[in-house]
Amino acid sequence: MVNKILKTIEQYKMIKKGDTVAVCLSGGADSMALFHFLCCNKNFLGINVIALHVNHGLREESRKEEIFVKNYCNKIGTECIVYRADMNNNIKPKGLSTESWARELRYKFFFEQAKKYKAKLATAHTASDRCETVIFNITRGTSLKGVCGIPPVRDNIVRPLINCTRMEIEKYCEDNNIPYVTDKTNFDDVYSRNKIRLKVIPTLKLINPAVEKAISAFADESQEIYTLLTQLSDNLYRKSVGEKGISTDELLKEHPAVVKNLIRNRLDELSCLSKDNVDSIFLSLGNKNFTRQLSATVFCRVYDGWLSFYQVEEKCEVEPIKLIVEMDKIISFNHLNLIFSVVSYDEYKKIKENNKNYLTYYVRYDKIKNGLIIRTRQTGDKFTFGKRNVTKTLKKLFIEDKIPKERRDKIAILSDETENVIWVDGYGVNREYIPGPKCEKVLLIQQM
């Protein structure tokens, strides 16, 4: 397996002498094998190795896994940087599954550390992972890009184990006495990927024992074809774009696969990619006049030989609702019953510690200007996530989270009299209003 990994590193030019490589180390067999390999071969490769570990705080075993990873790194003399996400005590962003949220937090930390240490990120994705991803994407419905699976290299992320199967890696760990932890959730077939790993792959192996190798080879060829297709569609776009849009005459001269890929890339940029949209636009290219709504705010038009895309402002058809907030009284707003109260910072700390199972939000009271209003959304409302430091308009946020249009104008929003958004139902407290140790009073928002 060592020769296979070295060959993969060389084939994809993953690592060069002088690089710092940050291994995303979970403590599982795959990441421990990768970490062991890089530490053992760092002098041969001419690299520096560090470890990054994320404790999501979702399972009882999380703390033990963190200690295990830190102890192993200390034993072999390698720096280990740990991030505790504490997801159980934070509010999940609307529209994200727990798995997606965990991945978002994890990679945010990885990218921050990669930037800090000027490092390449090494993840322990394997041929088995790639095989599962290809099957998963095909099952859901995908384009050529989806059947490429997990690429060996993406930006500054490298995957030296991408040609090794999980069975080979477990054998490597056994041969080298490498300890590792096992995540029990990997055996829970509630998750789609686990169903593929536990049920689909074993069945396919009865047909072809080397199915992981076969699907990886298919993914490699798909990646080569997709790369060529993207180059052709990018060239076509540069050749056909003008002040009025994209020339349909130029598009109609080219192969359908190239044209559809061009359309697919444009829709992806506009966050309205779907097979129906791609097919509909492609079939309309010969029309004299054609218009299609692609999402709540994005439209396309074919007119007089030009394909163009445009966005319109979403109109708020419902009259905004506003209620003045009175302290320590139950306020009914649409489907919610809310009660607002003000406490000292010391009281807030006690309440937060003793009421983890109750849905309570906490607001820095000294940041509030004048009175409080509970209302529906208004044009220009913005929200910044506390943990992710990402700011978006509520309009964009609700569209991205696929909240039905009829519900968007019923979501409760707390603001002060300057109309600054303080809290949004389902999303939590705006970043600048999250309590800190210097605030004297805290506003509690409780859902009854």
Side-chain angles (χ1 to χ4, degrees):
M1 196 179 89
V2 170
N3 290 332
K4 184 182 282 190
I5 299 172
L6 289 171
K7 185 178 178 181
T8 300
I9 290 172
E10 182 181 0
Q11 179 183 354
Y12 296 103
K13 298 179 174 59
M14 292 181 174
I15 299 168
K16 65 179 187 298
K17 287 188 176 181
D19 280 345
T20 294
V21 180
V23 181
C24 304
L25 188 59
S26 67
D30 298 344
S31 66
M32 290 296 288
L34 174 61
F35 185 59
H36 179 274
F37 168 84
L38 289 173
C39 288
C40 289
N41 292 277
K42 64 182 181 181
N43 292 333
F44 174 75
L45 293 168
I47 61 173
N48 179 44
V49 180
I50 60 174
L52 306 176
H53 177 77
V54 177
N55 178 347
H56 295 100
L58 289 171
R59 297 175 292 113
E60 291 181 6
E61 300 86 357
S62 295
R63 180 61 178 156
K64 292 179 181 177
E65 290 167 4
E66 176 191 326
I67 294 169
F68 166 78
V69 167
K70 288 170 71 174
N71 287 343
Y72 188 80
C73 290
N74 287 337
K75 181 180 176 182
I76 63 174
T78 303
E79 183 179 6
C80 180
I81 302 128
V82 174
Y83 167 55
R84 294 177 184 168
D86 196 21
M87 291 173 64
N88 272 338
N89 293 318
N90 285 284
I91 298 168
K92 178 166 67 70
K94 196 92 169 179
L96 279 182
S97 66
T98 299
E99 189 177 10
S100 298
W101 182 30
R103 186 183 187 281
E104 188 173 290
L105 291 173
R106 188 163 64 246
Y107 273 88
K108 181 177 183 291
F109 167 69
F110 291 158
F111 288 134
E112 285 173 350
Q113 297 305 310
K115 184 178 180 181
K116 178 180 177 180
Y117 288 90
K118 298 179 180 178
K120 287 184 176 176
L121 288 172
T123 66
H125 290 99
T126 66
S128 302
D129 294 317
R130 197 178 193 191
C131 177
E132 292 161 13
T133 300
V134 171
I135 294 171
F136 182 63
N137 289 346
I138 290 172
T139 305
R140 290 193 308 171
T142 187
S143 62
L144 181 62
K145 183 180 181 181
V147 295
C148 298
I150 303 169
V153 176
R154 180 171 62 82
D155 300 325
N156 71 328
I157 300 174
V158 297
R159 301 181 171 105
L161 303 185
I162 200 67
N163 289 324
C164 303
T165 66
R166 191 165 289 119
M167 189 178 294
E168 289 175 317
I169 286 161
E170 288 176 358
K171 179 72 165 53
Y172 177 86
C173 289
E174 182 182 343
D175 291 345
N176 292 277
N177 297 314
I178 303 168
Y180 59 87
V181 296
T182 302
D183 184 348
K184 293 178 183 177
T185 61
N186 288 338
F187 302 98
D188 186 347
D189 64 4
V190 171
Y191 302 104
S192 297
R193 285 184 178 273
N194 286 2
K195 287 177 183 175
I196 293 170
R197 179 183 306 122
L198 300 173
K199 296 180 178 180
V200 177
I201 300 294
T203 302
L204 292 175
K205 282 186 175 181
L206 295 176
I207 302 168
N208 178 9
V211 66
E212 292 159 317
K213 183 178 179 181
I215 290 180
S216 288
F218 167 67
D220 282 335
E221 283 198 27
S222 299
Q223 182 65 58
E224 290 173 0
I225 295 168
Y226 178 70
T227 300
L228 173 61
L229 189 60
T230 299
Q231 290 173 356
L232 293 173
S233 61
D234 287 348
N235 290 340
L236 175 59
Y237 178 77
R238 285 190 289 269
K239 182 172 70 173
S240 57
V241 70
E243 291 183 6
K244 295 181 181 181
I246 304 169
S247 169
T248 56
D249 289 340
E250 291 293 336
L251 297 185
L252 291 168
K253 294 176 187 176
E254 299 294 334
H255 192 283
V258 179
V259 178
K260 285 185 179 181
N261 199 57
L262 183 153
I263 295 168
R264 194 177 291 112
N265 290 341
R266 285 295 293 130
L267 296 183
D268 198 16
E269 291 171 5
L270 294 165
S271 301
C272 54
L273 177 58
S274 73
K275 187 177 187 302
D276 285 345
N277 281 344
V278 173
D279 290 344
S280 179
I281 295 170
F282 177 74
L283 293 173
S284 74
L285 294 177
N287 294 0
K288 290 185 178 179
N289 194 349
F290 169 85
T291 302
R292 178 180 172 90
Q293 184 170 0
L294 305 172
S295 71
T297 59
V298 180
F299 292 75
C300 77
R301 187 182 185 191
V302 174
Y303 180 73
D304 197 24
W306 295 93
L307 166 65
S308 59
F309 299 88
Y310 59 97
Q311 292 180 278
V312 296
E313 285 294 319
E314 185 183 14
K315 294 181 180 179
C316 188
E317 299 172 357
V318 179
E319 187 69 24
I321 302 170
K322 290 186 179 182
L323 291 176
I324 302 296
V325 171
E326 295 184 63
M327 296 296 170
D328 301 313
K329 290 185 179 181
I330 294 176
I331 296 175
S332 296
F333 188 88
N334 289 331
H335 64 289
L336 293 176
N337 289 317
L338 303 167
I339 187 165
F340 299 84
S341 54
V342 179
V343 298
S344 69
Y345 186 75
D346 289 338
E347 287 178 286
Y348 146 72
K349 287 195 293 183
K350 292 178 184 177
I351 293 169
K352 189 175 181 183
E353 181 64 30
N354 297 323
N355 292 274
K356 290 182 178 179
N357 296 325
Y358 296 94
L359 192 53
T360 304
Y361 299 94
Y362 310 96
V363 176
R364 183 169 178 166
Y365 191 66
D366 59 6
K367 293 284 290 184
I368 296 169
K369 307 296 182 185
N370 302 318
L372 288 169
I373 298 167
I374 189 84
R375 61 172 174 81
T376 50
R377 63 176 177 150
Q378 297 179 174
T379 302
D381 280 344
K382 292 182 180 179
F383 183 82
T384 303
F385 290 95
K387 290 289 183 180
R388 292 187 287 163
N389 196 22
V390 173
T391 301
K392 294 183 179 181
T393 63
L394 293 186
K395 181 183 80 172
K396 184 174 182 181
L397 198 56
F398 293 165
I399 290 170
E400 287 180 353
D401 288 347
K402 296 181 173 58
I403 295 175
K405 195 171 182 180
E406 61 273 14
R407 278 205 60 239
R408 297 174 200 166
D409 296 306
K410 296 179 181 178
I411 293 175
I413 295 161
L414 181 69
S415 71
D416 55 19
E417 290 185 359
T418 63
E419 301 294 359
N420 291 326
V421 173
I422 296 171
W423 166 84
V424 180
D425 180 34
Y427 293 90
V429 179
N430 209 340
R431 182 183 175 88
E432 67 174 296
Y433 292 93
I434 294 174
K438 292 184 179 180
C439 69
E440 295 180 358
K441 293 183 178 180
V442 175
L443 173 72
L444 307 185
I445 307 171
Q446 291 176 290
Q447 292 187 19
M448 309 303 290

